[in-house]
Structure formats: structure tokens, C-alpha cells
């Protein structure tokens, strides 16, 4: 059964009804959708519409719930009621809204254009406001420049008037007629003098300092302007002129979009900087002219003030004729000095602002110091107090220079040092710093660079320049031809340089006392008359009352050390140090000490160890012998040579390493000489005549002359032909004396010698750590150099002395064989005491020990005596053993021949010999114990006891009989 919808369908196929509406990709007006709808019946369409409406409501409810649950969707719910008022036809809605949307778009476009115009005009207004501020700044800068030019012009006119007035004073007297032109006709002499020393000069110099500071700022601004103009020309961002650049910038802003606004702003900023730079560049000639005039005024005023002080110092040296003037001058000295320091302070700071500190130093050196240097630095002053070339007056002339510089310029030097030498680390970072390294081994410090260094460049440079530029002075001082003069000159100048900062910056006693008196008068509030100041006036009282408030620089040890560091690192000082030919000086000194030592060695080889080779005085010889216990003159001379290297008249600090090496070479030479002699490689006793004959053979004398000379002196020639040379190692006393002296060198002297070096090298300017390291290094080096002395002493005693004494002790052992001959068939009675030769065996050892009992090295001990006793005992036991064997063989022979005969005391000849040997052994053991050796520890004595112990019973037999 078909439904109504099927009936109305031509085909009756339900598949023709669309299952779903067209998608977003299929529009409502599509042909397929229209054909499908035309085939459906009305009820079916209504049913489909109802289902679609229900589904739409469900989806709308779901959408509404979701929008309500989200914060962003809640703001859209208010449009819900308006949806019901929308017309059903969307195309008609779009058609109705199109005019409105077009008007809105045009309105928005007009607003955007207006906004761009307003923004552009606001930027133009801002730029013009900035230009107005910049123009005001330029106007102020121009006014300041004009004002400073007027001030400088006035200062220049005033300087010329003062120069004219000084010329008139020189022509017409101290108070001539020309003064009224400057001070005015109504000023009396007292007012004129007060004007010359009151705050007028201070205010003028303060104005000059302000002009210098403004010039410094103007130069900085001019340099910055040059950089800006150069940068604009390089990047192409600048306009042609002030108006052109402004108009161009405005047009660009109006016609650009929003994206180019930032570029326009930067262009405007560059244009403004360029305008300011161009304005400053137009004033460049005036700025340069101002700079030139300021430099000229600074130079003129500094030279004038320095010359005035020099002239005042010269006048003060002359006696004052008027007592009233003298009193007044004394009362005003302190005030004038303070005012002058203030004036100089303004001038020096002005030089720093102008970046001309080196020019201030040069002016001070030329005007203030060079006249003093030229006064004293001359060849006549250099040789004053001595003969030509001795430079005896060098110390005096340097002292006079420093003394006069301190008297005239001491306060100025202290002021400049405290004003420009900064020690604070932050301030140093702004100025710059450098490291201090000097060739003398001083510790490294970091000092600030000072803008004006009057001590280094103003005092030291003129002095050292005068010494180096004068060829006569330079040759006389720096020539190393005479070592003693060279060393004295070096020490004088080195001490002068090391104490220069302290001598210049330390106040003299007179200045300190005067300052204390002035301070006490000011603190008490009264003077001798109960009134402060000069003349008793109110203004003078006020002026004197504030003098204690003036700035007074304080100089401490840190300041002096900083100045010394700058002195040592100055390039001129380094060049001055290179003038000293220290290598040549050391060669001269080392050759001198080597000549002394070699001459002593030659004399010892000729005359023996006891030759008088010491070149010093008898008092020095005695003191050195008593101090160290040395006996031989040669080793006293050697000790004096080592000490001489470190004496104050020879030693120089930069040559410390060379002198230390020289001492090691001398020690090595003496040790090698002793070692060669101890081993028999050097012969002593060569006659002086042989040496002279060898020298004569080198002369150009003819053979006939030499023959005639030899014929006329036959006795001398024959004596020369006799060989009297010897090896001192074969002489026991020489070996003992030499070994004792070199052992003293190894112990007592080396310790004292190391301390001597440490006292000279480790000066007070070294810190504790450095001094300790130097001491350890010197001790290690010296101990390493003397390491061969102790083995040499042991060798000389344990080998040479033992061999020589043993040889002397074994000589009497030849008499052991005569014991048998004494009792063989002589019918002598049995012996009751030891043989005479026994006590002679160890007599050389005993005598030698007694003669050198206090001169045996402590390191030797008793081993050398035990070695001698062991060797002698062994030979003694061998001789006794051979004698006993001989006696036994003789007795056996007599028994075989049956010629045995009765002997005195009922004792045979063999028994008498054994008894004698027993008594000799007992006596020898006693002598061994007397020399300090235990007989029981000697192997040879034990052999003797074993060989002779059978004869012990014979002693009782002899005693009974």
C-alpha cells in the first residue's frame, strides 16, 4: 500500500526524496536540489520541514548551552533576540546594508587620513619645540663664548699692563711714577702692595680657569659636531640646510604611511643633531682662536709668576735696608705665599683642562729649575774638593740643587702632587693606570697617571738632562775607567734618585716651625700686640683669621713611594740607567780581586804556606785571625778578597748576581788549588831566581850577555840549579794547617759570609717574604759551592795525615828484629822492662797530636788515630810473629845439635826473647791507651797479645829469681 506521497510521485520511488540537505559546497540554488524538491509532495515536505525544525531547535539549544558555559560565548548571547527580527531573505538584507557599510568604510578612511595628518603635525610641533630648545642652547653657548672671549681679552690686556708696569718699576725704582696709571692716582703705596697680594690675582686666575674649562667643553663639543657631520655625510642622511631639511622632513611625514613613521622620527633626530653640529662648526674659528689665546695667557701667567718667585727669592737673599719694610715683609710672607699657591693651583688646573700638562711641566722645568741646575752643574763644581776627574763635588752639587729647589718650590711641589696624584682605585680607573717595573728589583706597584708631574718632569728631567747633554760632565761621571770613582758616582746618583721624592716633598724644619707659630697665633686669637693681621685693620684681621683654613697638602710615605715609582719608570730614567756601563765595572773589580788571589797563590808556591801574602794591614790580619781562627796568611787573604767584593766601596746592587758568581769562582779556584796540592800535583819551593830567569829569557838580550851575567854570578847560578822543590802534601804540619783552615772556611766563615751577603742584599726596601727567599737562595748557592771542602778535609786527614804519621810510626819497628840478637848467646840476664824502641813507635803520633791538639777539625774525630794505630799494630804484630818463628827455628836447630847450654837465671835465650816481646807488647798497649785509643778495639794489639801471652809466666819466674 503506498502512501500519499508515493502516489503523487511520478515514479513512486522513495529514493528520489533527498536524504539530507545540500552541504556548504552545494548552494540552495543548485539545479539538482531544485529538481528533487519539485518531485516531493506537500505533506512530505511538511514532514521534512517539521523534522528539520526540531533538529534545528535541538542544535540551537546545544549551541546556547555551550555558549553559556564559556566566558567568550556569554558576550554573544545578547544577539539572540535580534535573530528573530532578521528578514527571511539574506540577499535582501545584504542589499539593504551595502550603502551603510560603504559609508562606514569611507568614514573610517577619512579618519585614518586625519589621524596621520594630526600625528605628523604633532611630530612637527615636537621637532620645532626641540629646535627652539636647541636654538636657545645655541644662543646660550654663543653668549658664553662671547663672554669668555671678553674675559680672556680683559685678562690679556691686564697681563700686558702688568708687564709694562714691571718694566717701569725696573727703570724707575720699586715704587715709580708708572704705578698710578695701573692702580689709579688715589692709591698709596700700601694700597698698591695690598692689591698685588690680595684676592685680585686669585679672582683673575679663577676667571682664567673658568675660561679654560669652557674652552675644554667647547673643544669636546666641536669634536662631537665634527663626528656628527662626518657620519651624516657618510650615511647620506643629512639635508642641505636648516630650512631645507625642515621642509623636506615635513613633506615626508605627510605623504608616508604608518609603516614609515619610525624612519621619519630617526631622520628628524639626525637632522636636529646635524643642525646643532653645523651651528657649532660655524663657530670653529672662534673656538680655535679662544683655545690659542687661552694657551698663550696660561703660558705667560705661569712664566710670570714663576719668574716673580725666583726674583723674590734672590731679593730675599740680599739684606733688607729698611727695618720697617723687613718687619712688614715677614708678617705678609704667609699670606703672599698662600695667595701665590692659590694662583698657581688655578693655573695648573687650567693647564689640565686644556690637556697641556706636559707644557706646564716644561715651563716649570725651564723657568723654575733650569736656572738652579745651570748654576751648580759645571765641571768646576763637579771637581770641587778634589783633583780633576775625581768628581769629588758631585754629591755636594746635587745636594745644593735639591736644597734650593725645596726652599723655593717645595710648597708648589707638595700642592701639585696632592692635587693631581690620586690613589683611590675608582679615581685611578677614570684616569688610567700603569705598572711600575724597575731594574733594581723593587716590588711592582700600580700607580695612577698624573696630569702634571712636576717632580718627575719638572725637577728630575732637567737635572738628568744637564748631566747627559754636557759631554765633559758625561765622560767624567759615567766613564768606568777608574772603578773606584765610577762606583762612588753611581752610589751618589743612585742615592740621590732614591731619596729625591722624600727630599723635595718633606717640609724643612724652618717651614714647619713657622707654620706652627702661625697656627698658634691664630688659635690663640692674639699676637704680640693683641691684634691679628697686618696693619691692625679689620680687613687684615679677617684675612689673617682665615689663613688656617687654606688648603695645606699632606704628604705621607705612600705619596713619596708613588712618586719614586714614577721616577723609576720614566723613559728618561731608563735611558739614564743605560749610561752606566756596569759590566765593564764588574770586569775591572773582578780582575782586581783575581789578581790579588793569583799573586797570593804564586807567592805561596814559592815561599810556602806561611808566606806573607796578606795585602792588608797588620791590624786587619790580626782581627781576621782572631775572628775566624784562621792561621795561614793565604786563607786570610782569601777571606779578605771575598769580603771585599761585598764591601760598600765595591758592591753595586744591580750587579748582585755577578758578585755572587764571582765569589763562587774564587771559592772554586782556592778549593782546586788545595785539592791539586793535596794530591801531589803542585810543587812548592820554586826559587824566585828561576822565575826571574824565565822572564829574562823572554827579553831581547843576546846570548853573550846572558853568559857574561852567569859567569859573573857563579854562586847564584849554582844555587838556582839546585832543585829545592817539594810537595807540601808530604809535610805533616802543612797538611794539618791547610786542612784546619779550609775546615774553618767550610764552617765558621761560610756562615758569616752568607750573613754578610744577606745584610748587603736584603735591604729595608724588600718585604719579609722576598728577604726570606733571597736568604734561602744565597744559603743554597753557597752551600753548594762549598760541598767539596768537607770531603777534601776528610781525605787529607784519613788518607794523607794517616799515611804520613803511619810512616813515621812504623820506622822504629825495624828494631824488633834486633831483640833476638840482643839475647842470643850473650848470657844477658832476663829483661825486666820494655825495649827502648817501643816508646818511639807512637811518639810521632803523640807529638803531632800535641802540636795540633786545638786545630783538629771537629768532623774528623778519633777515627784517624785508630787507623794509624791499627796499621802500626798490624805491622808490629807481623814483625813479632816473624821474630818468634825465627827464635823457634833457632831453638829447634840447637836441640838437634845438642848444644843447649845453661843460661843465667835458668832461662834460655828464646825465653828471654819471648819475655822481652811480652814486655814490649804491654808497654805498647799502654802507649796506645795514652793516645786515646782503646787497645781492646785494635785488632793488631789482640794479635800481639795472642803471640806473647805464653811469656806471661816468665814474668813471675823472673820476679821470684
Amino acid at each position: 500500500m503506498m502512501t500519499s506521497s508515493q502516489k503523487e510521485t511520478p515514479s513512486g520511488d522513495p529514493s528520489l526524496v533527498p536524504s539530507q540537505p545540500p552541504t556548504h559546497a552545494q548552494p540552495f540554488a543548485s539545479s539538482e536540489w531544485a529538481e528533487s524538491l519539485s518531485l516531493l509532495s506537500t505533506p512530505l515536505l511538511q514532514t521534512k520541514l517539521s523534522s528539520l525544525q526540531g533538529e534545528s531547535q535541538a542544535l540551537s539549544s546545544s549551541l546556547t548551552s555551550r555558549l553559556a558555559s564559556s566566558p567568550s560565548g556569554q558576550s554573544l548571547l545578547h544577539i539572540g533576540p535580534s535573530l528573530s527580527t532578521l528578514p527571511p531573505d539574506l540577499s535582501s538584507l545584504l542589499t539593504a546594508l551595502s550603502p551603510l557599510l560603504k559609508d562606514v568604510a569611507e568614514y573610517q578612511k577619512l579618519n585614518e587620513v586625519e589621524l596621520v595628518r594630526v600625528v605628523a603635525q604633532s611630530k612637527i610641533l615636537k621637532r620645532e619645540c626641540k629646535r627652539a630648545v636647541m636654538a636657545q642652547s645655541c644662543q646660550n653657548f654663543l653668549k658664553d663664548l662671547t663672554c669668555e672671549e671678553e674675559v680672556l681679552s680683559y685678562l690679556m690686556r691686564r697681563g700686558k699692563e702688568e708687564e709694562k708696569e714691571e718694566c717701569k718699576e725696573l727703570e724707575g725704582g720699586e715704587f715709580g711714577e708708572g704705578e698710578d696709571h695701573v692702580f689709579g692716582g688715589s692709591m698709596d703705596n700700601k694700597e698698591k702692595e695690598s692689591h698685588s697680594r690680595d684676592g685680585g690675582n686669585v679672582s683673575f686666575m679663577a676667571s682664567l680657569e673658568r675660561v679654560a674649562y669652557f674652552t675644554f667643553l667647547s673643544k669636546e663639543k666641536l669634536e662631537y659636531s665634527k663626528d656628527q657631520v662626518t657620519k651624516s655625510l657618510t650615511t647620506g642622511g643629512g639635508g642641505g640646510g636648516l630650512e631645507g631639511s625642515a621642509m623636506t622632513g615635513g613633506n615626508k611625514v605627510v605623504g608616508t604611511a604608518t609603516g614609515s613613521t619610525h624612519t621619519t622620527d630617526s631622520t628628524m633626530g639626525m637632522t636636529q643633531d646635524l643642525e646643532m653640529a653645523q651651528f657649532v662648526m660655524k663657530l670653529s674659528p672662534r673656538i680655535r682662536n679662544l683655545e690659542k689665546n687661552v694657551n698663550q695667557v696660561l703660558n705667560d701667567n705661569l712664566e710670570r709668576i714663576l719668574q716673580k718667585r725666583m726674583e723674590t727669592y734672590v731679593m730675599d737673599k740680599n739684606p733688607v735696608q729698611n727695618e720697617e719694610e723687613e718687619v712688614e715683609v715677614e708678617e705678609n710672607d704667609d699670606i703672599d705665599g698662600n695667595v701665590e699657591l692659590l694662583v698657581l693651583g688655578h693655573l695648573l688646573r687650567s693647564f689640565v683642562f686644556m690637556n697641556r700638562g706636559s707644557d706646564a711641566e716644561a715651563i716649570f722645568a725651564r723657568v723654575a729649575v733650569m736656572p738652579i741646575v745651570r748654576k751648580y752643574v759645571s765641571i768646576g763644581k763637579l771637581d770641587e774638593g778634589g783633583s780633576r776627574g775625581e768628581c769629588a763635588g758631585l754629591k755636594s752639587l746635587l745636594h745644593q740643587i735639591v736644597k734650593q729647589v725645596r726652599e723655593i718650590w717645595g710648597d708648589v711641589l707638595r700642592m701639585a702632587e696632592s692635587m693631581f696624584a690620586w690613589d683611590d682605585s675608582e679615581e685611578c680607573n677614570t684616569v688610567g693606570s700603569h705598572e711600575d717595573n724597575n731594574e733594581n728589583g723593587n716590588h711592582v706597584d700600580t700607580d695612577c697617571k698624573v696630569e702634571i708631574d712636576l717632580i718627575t718632569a719638572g725637577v728630575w728631567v732637567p737635572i738628568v738632562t744637564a748631566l747627559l747633554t754636557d759631554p765633559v760632565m758625561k765622560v767624567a761621571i759615567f766613564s768606568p775607567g777608574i772603578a773606584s770613582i765610577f762606583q762612588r758616582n753611581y752610589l751618589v746618583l743612585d742615592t740621590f734618585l732614591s731619596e729625591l721624592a722624600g727630599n723635595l716633598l718633606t717640609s724643612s724644619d724652618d717651614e714647619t716651625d713657622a707654620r706652627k707659630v702661625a697656627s698658634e697665633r691664630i688659635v690663640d686669637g692674639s699676637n704680640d700686640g693683641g691684634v691679628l693681621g697686618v696693619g691692625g685693620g679689620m680687613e687684615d684681621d679677617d684675612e689673617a683669621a682665615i689663613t688656617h683654613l687654606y688648603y695645606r697638602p699632606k704628604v705621607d710615605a705612600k705619596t713619596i713611594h708613588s712618586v719614586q715609582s714614577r721616577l723609576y719608570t720614566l723613559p728618561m730614567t731608563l735611558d739614564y740607567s743605560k749610561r752606566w756601563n756596569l759590566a765593564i765595572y764588574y770586569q775591572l773589580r773582578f780582575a782586581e780581586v783575581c789578581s790579588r788571589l793569583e799573586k797570593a797563590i804564586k807567592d805561596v808556591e814559592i815561599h810556602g804556606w806561611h808566606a806573607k801574602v796578606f795585602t792588608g794591614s797588620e791590624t786587619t790580619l790580626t782581627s781576621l785571625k782572631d775572628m775566624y781562627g784562621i792561621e795561614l796568611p793565604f786563607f786570610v787573604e782569601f777571606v779578605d778578597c771575598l769580603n771585599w767584593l761585598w764591601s760598600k766601596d765595591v758592591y753595586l746592587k744591580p750587579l748582585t748576581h755577578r758578585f755572587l758568581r764571582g765569589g763562587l769562582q774564587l771559592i772554586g779556584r782556592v778549593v782546586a788549588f788545595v785539592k791539586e796540592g793535596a794530591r801531589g800535583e803542585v810543587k812548592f819551593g820554586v826559587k824566585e831566581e828561576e822565575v826571574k830567569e824565565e822572564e829574562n829569557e823572554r827579553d831581547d838580550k843576546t846570548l853573550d850577555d846572558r853568559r857574561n851575567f852567569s859567569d859573573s854570578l857563579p854562586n847564584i847560578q849554582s844555587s838556582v840549579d839546585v832543585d829545592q822543590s817539594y810537595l807540601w802534601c808530604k809535610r805533616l804540619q802543612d797538611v794539618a794547617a791547610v786542612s784546619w783552615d779550609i775546615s774553618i772556611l767550610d764552617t765558621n766563615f761560610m756562615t758569616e759570609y752568607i750573613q754578610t751577603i744577606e745584610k748587603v742584599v736584603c735591604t729595608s726596601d724588600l718585604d719579609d717574604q722576598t728577604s726570606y727567599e733571597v736568604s734561602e737562595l744565597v744559603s743554597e748557592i753557597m752551600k753548594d759551592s762549598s760541598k767539596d771542602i768537607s770531603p777534601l778535609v776528610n781525605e787529607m786527614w784519613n788518607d794523607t795525615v794517616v799515611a804520613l804519621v803511619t810512616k813515621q810510626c812504623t820506622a822504629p819497628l825495624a828494631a824488633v828484629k834486633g831483640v833476638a840478637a840482643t839475647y842470643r848467646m850473650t848470657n844477658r840476664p832476663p829483661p825486666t822492662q820494655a825495649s827502648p824502641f817501643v816508646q818511639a813507635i807512637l811518639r810521632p803520633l803523640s807529638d803531632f797530636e800535641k802540636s795540633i791538639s786545638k786545630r783538629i777539625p771537629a768532623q774528623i774525630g778519633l777515627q784517624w788515630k785508630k787507623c794509624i794505630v791499627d796499621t802500626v799494630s798490624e805491622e808490629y804484630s807481623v814483625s813479632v810473629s816473624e821474630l818468634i818463628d825465627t827464635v823457634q827455628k833457632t831453638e829447634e836447630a840447637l836441640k838437634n845439635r845438642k848444644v843447649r847450654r845453661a843460661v843465667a837465671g835458668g832461662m834460655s835465650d828464646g825465653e828471654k826473647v819471648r819475655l822481652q816481646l811480652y814486655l814490649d807488647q804491654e808497654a805498647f798497649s799502654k802507649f796506645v791507651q795514652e793516645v786515646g785509643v782503646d787497645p781492646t778495639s785494635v785488632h793488631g794489639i789482640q794479635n800481639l797479645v795472642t803471640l806473647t801471652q805464653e811469656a806471661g809466666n816468665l814474668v813471675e819466674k823472673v820476679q821470684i829469681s
Side-chain angles (χ1 to χ4, degrees):
M1 183 175 178
M2 296 184 297
T3 62
S4 59
S5 61
Q6 293 174 343
K7 289 180 180 180
E8 295 180 1
T9 303
S11 61
D13 189 358
S15 63
L16 296 176
V17 180
S19 60
Q20 57 184 3
T23 62
H24 63 279
Q26 298 174 351
F28 289 101
S30 64
S31 59
E32 294 180 0
W33 180 256
E35 292 176 358
S36 300
L37 291 178
S38 64
L39 296 177
L40 297 177
S41 61
T42 301
L44 183 61
L45 292 174
Q46 291 178 351
T47 303
K48 191 65 177 177
L49 177 61
S50 299
S51 63
L52 290 176
Q53 289 177 349
E55 186 177 358
S56 174
Q57 291 178 357
L59 292 175
S60 177
S61 300
S62 177
L63 176 62
T64 304
S65 63
R66 290 185 179 181
L67 289 175
S69 62
S70 61
S72 61
Q74 293 177 0
S75 62
L76 302 177
L77 293 178
H78 69 281
I79 66 174
S82 63
L83 295 176
S84 60
T85 61
L86 294 176
D89 190 359
L90 294 178
S91 65
S92 62
L93 177 62
L94 293 174
T95 303
L97 292 178
S98 295
L100 178 62
L101 294 176
K102 184 177 181 181
D103 294 339
V104 171
E106 291 178 356
Y107 177 75
Q108 183 179 2
K109 184 177 181 180
L110 292 175
N111 286 340
E112 289 179 355
V113 173
E114 183 66 17
L115 177 62
V116 171
R117 188 187 67 82
V118 171
V119 171
Q121 293 299 325
S122 66
K123 290 183 177 180
I124 293 175
L125 291 176
K126 289 181 180 180
R127 188 192 66 180
E128 294 302 325
C129 291
K130 290 183 179 179
R131 290 185 67 195
V133 174
M134 182 181 64
Q136 185 65 36
S137 176
C138 293
Q139 182 183 6
N140 295 335
F141 178 72
L142 181 59
K143 288 182 179 180
D144 292 339
L145 178 60
T146 305
C147 180
E148 301 302 335
E149 287 176 341
E150 293 177 355
V151 172
L152 184 61
S153 177
Y154 171 75
L155 293 176
M156 294 177 68
R157 291 196 306 270
R158 179 179 175 273
K160 292 180 180 179
E161 290 176 357
E162 288 186 354
E163 291 180 359
K164 293 180 180 179
E165 186 62 28
E166 289 177 0
C167 294
K168 291 181 180 180
E169 289 180 2
L170 294 176
E171 295 176 359
E174 185 176 0
F175 296 102
E177 299 177 354
E179 291 188 351
D180 294 337
H181 176 72
V182 179
F183 296 102
S186 61
M187 296 180 65
D188 57 6
N189 292 340
K190 182 177 180 180
E191 291 176 344
K192 296 174 184 177
E193 183 182 0
S194 176
H195 179 79
S196 65
R197 60 179 175 82
D198 64 1
N201 286 330
V202 178
S203 60
F204 288 143
M205 292 303 108
S207 300
L208 181 59
E209 182 181 359
R210 188 187 66 183
V211 174
Y213 181 67
F214 176 80
T215 306
F216 164 73
L217 297 179
S218 301
K219 289 169 56 181
E220 293 291 329
K221 187 173 293 186
L222 182 60
E223 294 297 328
Y224 177 76
S225 301
K226 288 182 178 179
D227 294 339
Q228 289 296 321
V229 172
T230 304
K231 183 177 179 181
S232 65
L233 294 176
T234 303
T235 57
L242 298 180
E243 295 122 20
S245 62
M247 293 301 296
T248 303
N251 294 333
K252 286 182 179 178
V253 172
V254 173
T256 55
T258 308
S260 62
T261 304
H262 177 73
T263 306
T264 305
D265 293 341
S266 61
T267 305
M268 291 170 59
M270 292 178 60
T271 303
Q272 294 172 4
D273 292 341
L274 183 60
E275 291 175 359
M276 183 68 179
Q278 289 174 347
F279 174 78
V280 175
M281 289 289 291
K282 291 180 179 179
L283 299 177
S284 176
R286 296 178 62 179
I287 295 175
R288 294 302 183 188
N289 186 51
L290 179 64
E291 178 186 5
K292 176 182 177 182
N293 293 333
V294 169
N295 292 335
Q296 183 63 36
V297 172
L298 288 176
N299 293 343
D300 295 341
N301 280 274
L302 183 58
E303 291 184 10
R304 179 176 56 83
I305 294 176
L306 295 179
Q307 289 176 354
K308 183 178 179 181
R309 175 174 276 214
M310 288 290 293
E311 294 171 359
T312 304
Y313 175 79
V314 175
M315 292 175 61
D316 290 343
K317 291 300 181 179
N318 299 325
V320 180
Q321 301 295 333
N322 193 339
E323 296 181 358
E324 296 180 359
E325 293 179 358
E326 181 179 4
V327 174
E328 187 175 358
V329 168
E330 290 178 355
E331 292 176 346
N332 296 334
D333 276 344
D334 189 35
I335 298 176
D336 292 341
N338 290 325
V339 170
E340 195 173 46
L341 285 180
L342 291 175
V343 171
L344 287 173
H346 287 301
L347 282 175
L348 294 179
R349 286 191 296 271
S350 301
F351 272 97
V352 173
F353 288 143
M354 300 301 295
N355 195 21
R356 294 181 59 243
S358 59
D359 294 341
E361 296 168 352
I363 293 174
F364 183 83
R366 175 172 53 84
V367 177
V369 179
M370 280 306 296
I372 302 174
V373 174
R374 285 193 294 266
K375 177 181 177 182
Y376 291 102
V377 176
S378 63
I379 195 64
K381 293 286 185 179
L382 183 64
D383 293 330
E384 187 175 357
S387 59
R388 185 65 178 270
E390 290 185 357
C391 301
L394 179 61
K395 184 176 181 180
S396 175
L397 72 87
L398 293 176
H399 174 72
Q400 292 296 329
I401 292 175
V402 172
K403 180 181 177 182
Q404 193 164 351
V405 170
R406 183 178 59 190
E407 289 178 358
I408 306 176
W409 309 108
D411 53 350
V412 178
L413 296 176
R414 289 190 293 271
M415 178 198 66
E417 186 61 31
S418 61
M419 184 184 302
F420 301 110
W422 301 341
D423 291 328
D424 185 71
S425 59
E426 296 180 355
E427 294 175 346
C428 287
N429 291 333
T430 61
V431 178
S433 61
H434 66 276
E435 291 186 355
D436 173 24
N437 298 311
N438 59 70
E439 63 173 2
N440 294 333
N442 297 339
H443 62 280
V444 178
D445 294 326
T446 303
D447 296 323
C448 297
K449 180 181 179 181
V450 295
E451 291 87 351
I452 296 180
D453 191 354
L454 295 183
I455 295 180
T456 299
V459 178
W460 167 242
V461 170
I463 294 175
V464 72
T465 302
L467 297 179
L468 294 178
T469 54
D470 189 349
V472 179
M473 295 285 294
K474 182 172 67 174
V475 171
I477 295 175
F478 298 96
S479 177
I482 303 177
S484 59
I485 297 177
F486 179 87
Q487 192 260 357
R488 185 171 64 248
N489 293 343
Y490 181 88
L491 290 181
V492 169
L493 282 169
D494 184 67
T495 304
F496 169 77
L497 178 59
S498 63
E499 299 176 354
L500 181 60
N503 291 333
L504 293 176
L505 294 178
T506 304
S507 301
S508 60
D509 296 337
D510 296 338
E511 294 176 358
T512 305
D513 296 340
R515 190 172 301 154
K516 289 181 179 179
V517 171
S519 301
E520 292 174 358
R521 291 172 56 191
I522 293 170
V523 172
D524 294 341
S526 62
N527 55 9
D528 296 338
V531 180
L532 288 173
V534 181
M538 181 62 67
E539 296 180 358
D540 296 333
D541 293 345
D542 295 339
E543 186 177 7
I546 65 174
T547 53
H548 69 286
L549 299 177
Y550 287 162
Y551 170 73
R552 298 188 185 277
K554 295 182 180 180
V555 178
D556 54 6
K558 187 176 182 180
T559 304
I560 296 175
H561 178 72
S562 177
V563 178
Q564 285 297 144
S565 299
R566 298 199 304 270
L567 284 172
Y568 284 124
T569 56
L570 189 69
M572 179 68 75
T573 306
L574 300 178
D575 181 66
Y576 150 81
S577 301
K578 295 178 182 179
R579 301 287 180 175
W580 298 102
N581 201 335
L582 299 179
I584 298 297
Y585 170 77
Y586 171 75
Q587 293 176 5
L588 294 175
R589 289 301 195 183
F590 188 67
E592 184 177 353
V593 72
C594 288
S595 176
R596 285 182 58 185
L597 187 62
E598 291 298 330
K599 184 178 182 303
I601 291 175
K602 193 65 177 179
D603 292 342
V604 167
E605 290 179 352
I606 295 174
H607 303 288
W609 284 110
H610 294 276
K612 296 181 180 180
V613 296
F614 185 69
T615 56
S617 61
E618 291 293 333
T619 305
T620 306
L621 178 62
T622 305
S623 63
L624 289 176
K625 284 186 176 181
D626 296 338
M627 182 183 301
Y628 302 111
I630 302 176
E631 293 186 353
L632 298 178
F634 172 79
F635 291 102
V636 178
E637 177 74 2
F638 170 63
V639 168
D640 188 63
C641 288
L642 291 178
N643 289 333
W644 179 79
L645 288 176
W646 302 97
S647 62
K648 62 180 181 180
D649 296 332
V650 177
Y651 170 75
L652 291 179
K653 190 173 183 179
L655 297 174
T656 301
H657 61 292
R658 292 179 180 267
F659 280 106
L660 189 60
R661 183 181 62 188
L664 299 180
Q665 291 175 344
L666 295 181
I667 294 174
R669 176 69 177 95
V670 171
V671 172
F673 173 66
V674 174
K675 187 181 296 185
E676 291 174 357
R679 295 175 180 176
E681 299 175 1
V682 177
K683 284 187 176 183
F684 280 15
V686 180
K687 294 295 184 179
E688 289 184 86
E689 289 80 358
E690 293 181 3
V691 177
K692 291 181 180 180
E693 184 179 358
E694 292 177 358
E695 294 177 354
N696 291 334
E697 289 178 356
R698 301 188 186 100
D699 296 338
D700 295 330
K701 293 183 178 181
T702 59
L703 180 61
D704 296 336
D705 293 337
R706 288 200 301 272
R707 288 177 179 177
N708 295 333
F709 179 77
S710 61
D711 294 339
S712 61
L713 299 174
N715 296 328
I716 297 178
Q717 185 67 29
S718 60
S719 64
V720 172
D721 294 338
V722 177
D723 185 12
Q724 296 183 359
S725 62
Y726 66 93
L727 297 174
W728 65 267
C729 62
K730 301 299 183 181
R731 295 189 176 186
L732 193 58
Q733 292 297 327
D734 287 350
V735 175
V738 172
S739 63
W740 169 254
D741 283 355
I742 63 174
S743 66
I744 292 296
L745 294 177
D746 187 34
T747 55
N748 298 344
F749 174 69
M750 280 303 169
T751 303
E752 296 290 338
Y753 188 57
I754 293 173
Q755 294 178 359
T756 301
I757 298 176
E758 292 176 354
K759 290 179 181 178
V760 175
V761 176
C762 301
T763 54
S764 58
D765 58 340
L766 299 180
D767 54 6
D768 296 338
Q769 181 64 25
T770 306
S771 299
Y772 174 76
E773 293 177 357
V774 172
S775 300
E776 291 295 321
L777 180 62
V778 171
S779 300
E780 182 179 355
I781 293 174
M782 298 309 301
K783 290 179 180 178
D784 183 71
S785 67
S786 60
K787 64 182 180 180
D788 295 335
I789 296 180
S790 182
L792 181 59
V793 173
N794 293 332
E795 178 183 351
M796 294 176 67
W797 275 88
N798 296 327
D799 294 341
T800 306
V801 172
V802 167
L804 293 177
V805 176
T806 300
K807 182 178 180 180
Q808 295 180 11
C809 292
T810 55
L813 294 179
V816 174
K817 298 180 181 179
V819 174
T822 303
Y823 294 101
R824 184 181 301 124
M825 293 182 295
T826 57
N827 198 21
R828 289 188 177 183
T832 58
Q833 59 184 4
S835 302
F837 75 87
V838 175
Q839 62 181 355
I841 296 176
L842 297 180
R843 183 178 298 167
L845 174 60
S846 178
D847 294 343
F848 175 70
E849 185 180 11
K850 289 179 181 179
S851 63
I852 62 167
S853 58
K854 298 181 180 181
R855 295 184 289 115
I856 300 177
Q859 68 189 58
I860 299 303
L862 300 176
Q863 185 62 30
W864 66 282
K865 290 193 294 184
K866 190 175 183 301
C867 291
I868 294 174
V869 172
D870 283 339
T871 305
V872 173
S873 301
E874 288 292 337
E875 293 190 13
Y876 190 12
S877 63
V878 170
S879 299
V880 170
S881 177
E882 292 176 355
L883 180 60
I884 291 175
D885 292 340
T886 302
V887 170
Q888 288 179 352
K889 292 179 181 179
T890 301
E891 289 181 347
E892 291 295 332
L894 293 175
K895 286 180 180 180
N896 294 333
R897 296 179 181 180
K898 298 181 180 181
V899 292
R900 185 177 181 181
R901 38 184 282 199
V903 295
M907 188 178 296
S908 64
D909 293 342
E911 292 176 343
K912 293 178 182 179
V913 172
R914 292 188 182 91
L915 178 58
Q916 184 65 59
L917 294 176
Y918 176 78
L919 295 175
D920 293 345
Q921 177 267 324
E922 289 289 336
F924 181 73
S925 299
K926 182 179 178 181
F927 291 140
V928 169
Q929 191 171 4
E930 289 179 356
V931 298
V933 179
D934 185 11
T936 59
S937 64
V938 180
H939 183 265
I941 294 179
Q942 298 301 320
N943 292 337
L944 287 175
V945 171
T946 302
L947 292 172
T948 59
Q949 63 182 355
E950 296 180 357
N953 298 327
L954 298 177
V955 177
E956 297 178 357
K957 184 177 180 180
V958 172
Q959 292 175 354
I960 294 174
S961 60

